[in-house]
Amino acid sequence: MKNKLFMLLIETVIINLTALFLVSRFAERVALVYAAVFIVIMAAAGVQGYFQIIKPYTQKMKELEKAAEESQKSELIRREFVANVSHELKTPLTSISGFIETLQDGAAEDPEIRTKFIDIIAIETARLKRLIEDLLVLSDIESKRDSEQQEFDVKRVIENTVEALRPIADDKYITILMELEDNCSISGSADRFRQMMVNLIENAVKYSDKNSRIWITANKKEDKLIISVKDEGIGIAPEHHERLFERFYRVDKSRSKKAGGTGLGLSIVKHIAVLLGATLKVESQVGKGTTFYVIFDEK
């Protein structure tokens, strides 16, 4: 009897342990399922949170940082521009004022001195006038006040521009040669295009020696219209190429002043090119001349 009870007790214990084991395994599996579901839900929430919150926030922060950098850069450019304009305006005004005071103090009594001083005043006045005109042109272009959009013949505009500038080239015995294709047209402001060509050609004349040549070409290559102005002048060192089109940037300040430049000519060229949808390129070697390219994508 005791053996039967003992065996029954053993069987009961085994059954209970087996049941407990099975329950624990089931509970473990359920726990694992819940854990897996929880992980999936959290991962999905994390992905959704990244795309809806973190990524937009990160992009916004990058945009704000970029805007702040551009704002600082614009402010720096503005300050430099104001400082340069102030300096460029002050220099001729100071010179004019000084010579006028000298004349008023009695120098005007000497005909030779009077003539010399008046000539200098006239030169400085012309320089001041050119600077103000260039500043107004630059302001108009940057404000995009030109709404004129008409198709014009490139060859005709360049030929008329060269004809108007030929006297200043003749003064230095510089020969202007042209190679212009027919049927080349651009849509935009013909006056602005003429102004761009005037600045490029005048620049070539200013920095070329006497008895040299200037080549002006307008040719179609594949789907592009390429206009170039090439000279045999002093050339430009490679380290200056990237900054050539900055306002008031001068490679050689003493030579620029002697040539009568305002420091805004190439900056005006750049702004007009952008206005007309063109890109600029420069090739130059010191002592071997410079070539400026204005490249239009034909539509």
Side-chain angles (χ1 to χ4, degrees), residues 87-107:
H87 173 74
E88 295 294 334
L89 290 173
K90 184 178 180 180
T91 301
L93 283 173
T94 301
S95 180
I96 292 169
S97 177
F99 283 113
I100 288 175
E101 288 178 4
T102 304
L103 288 172
Q104 289 175 334
D105 288 340

Side-chain angles (χ1 to χ4, degrees), residues 186-290:
I186 295 172
S187 180
S189 170
D191 287 337
R192 288 302 185 203
F193 177 79
R194 182 181 297 106
Q195 195 167 35
M196 179 178 69
M197 294 307 300
V198 165
N199 284 359
L200 286 173
I201 297 168
E202 280 188 341
N203 193 72
V205 172
K206 284 176 185 176
Y207 298 105
S208 292
D209 295 326
K210 290 183 177 180
N211 300 302
S212 60
R213 292 168 296 178
I214 293 173
W215 290 267
I216 303 171
T217 67
N219 299 307
K220 291 180 180 179
K221 291 185 179 180
E222 296 179 354
D223 59 344
K224 299 181 184 298
L225 170 62
I226 302 175
I227 298 167
S228 66
V229 178
K230 178 182 178 181
D231 63 57
E232 297 177 314
I234 59 175
I236 306 165
E239 60 265 24
H240 298 291
H241 289 189
E242 289 186 4
R243 300 193 62 190
L244 280 177
F245 301 100
E246 292 181 13
R247 292 174 290 190
F248 295 113
Y249 184 78
R250 292 185 175 94
V251 175
D252 185 341
K253 293 183 179 180
S254 61
R255 188 177 177 98
S256 296
K257 186 176 180 180
K258 185 178 179 181
T262 62
L264 293 172
L266 290 179
S267 181
I268 290 173
V269 168
K270 182 193 75 173
H271 282 77
I272 294 176
V274 171
L275 201 64
L276 294 173
T279 56
L280 294 171
K281 179 183 174 183
V282 59
E283 292 179 354
S284 184
Q285 285 184 298
V286 176
K288 293 186 178 181
T290 302

Side-chain angles (χ1 to χ4, degrees), residues 2 9 44 97 119-121 180 183 234 243 255:
K2 290 182 179 179
L9 179 63
S97 177
D119 287 343
I120 295 172
I121 291 171
L180 311 172
N183 303 318
I234 59 175
R243 300 193 62 190
R255 188 177 177 98

